[in-house]
Amino acid sequence: MAELRPIHQRSTVTSCLRKIKAHTPDSAQLLGLLALFIFASILIILTGLTVTATILGFIFFMPLILVSSPVWFPVGTVLFVTIAGFLSACSFGAVAVAGLSWTYRYFNGMLPARSDKVANVRRRIYNTNTYVKHYAMEYGVKMIA
């Protein structure tokens, strides 16, 4: 009985060691973990430097910002309105050119992309219109009778 106990304990230990070995990372995983640690450290250091530089910039340039702030709001407003107007005009122009090009190609029979969808929609509208007309006529006859 005393001889069985150490063998049982050895088999338990070896099975635990096998399980641990099965879950240990290989060298590629260790190198990946090392690279991840290095890059994360570099990014954390750069983040700290950026925050520090931003705070120091606010400290040094705050007097200039406060003195010139009455000019910044009107200039910023004018720039924003000008840029927004220019971008919206360009966007509306591009949409108009694309729409006119598509319409021109459709009516000249060049069948641009998605023209089959327009024909399907037109056919469904016509079929729905005909169905509603017949349904209304039948409903009207039922109402009169």
Side-chain angles (χ1 to χ4, degrees), residues 3-4 6 20 40 50 69 85 100 105 114 132 136 143:
E3 296 174 11
L4 291 177
I20 291 172
T50 304
S69 64
L100 289 173
R105 293 185 68 177
R114 306 297 237 172
V132 169
M143 291 294 287

Side-chain angles (χ1 to χ4, degrees), residues 5 16 23 29 34 38 41 47 49 70 75 79 88 92 95 110 124 136 139 141-142:
R5 187 171 232 168
C16 286
H23 293 293
Q29 290 174 335
L34 180 66
I38 290 171
S41 301
T47 303
L49 289 175
V75 170
L79 280 175
S88 64
F92 291 145
V95 168
M110 291 187 238
R124 286 185 70 188
Y139 189 74
V141 170
K142 288 180 185 176

Side-chain angles (χ1 to χ4, degrees), residues 30-136:
L30 286 176
L31 284 175
L33 188 62
L34 180 66
L36 177 69
F37 178 73
I38 290 171
F39 288 131
S41 301
I42 291 171
L43 288 177
I44 288 172
I45 289 169
L46 288 176
T47 303
L49 289 175
T50 304
V51 170
T52 304
T54 303
I55 291 171
L56 288 175
F58 275 132
I59 290 171
F60 289 129
F61 292 113
M62 190 56 69
L64 180 65
I65 292 171
L66 287 175
V67 168
S68 63
S69 64
V71 177
W72 286 31
F73 184 75
V75 170
T77 304
V78 168
L79 280 175
F80 176 76
V81 169
T82 304
I83 291 171
F86 177 74
L87 290 177
S88 64
C90 290
S91 301
F92 291 145
V95 168
V97 167
L100 289 173
S101 170
W102 190 91
T103 307
Y104 174 78
R105 293 185 68 177
Y106 182 78
F107 283 118
N108 282 338
M110 291 187 238
L111 299 176
R114 306 297 237 172
S115 61
D116 57 335
K117 299 286 184 185
V118 174
N120 287 340
V121 168
R122 184 184 306 146
R123 191 175 323 113
R124 286 185 70 188
I125 290 172
Y126 177 76
N127 290 341
T128 303
N129 188 16
T130 306
Y131 172 76
V132 169
K133 184 171 83 174
H134 289 300
Y135 182 78

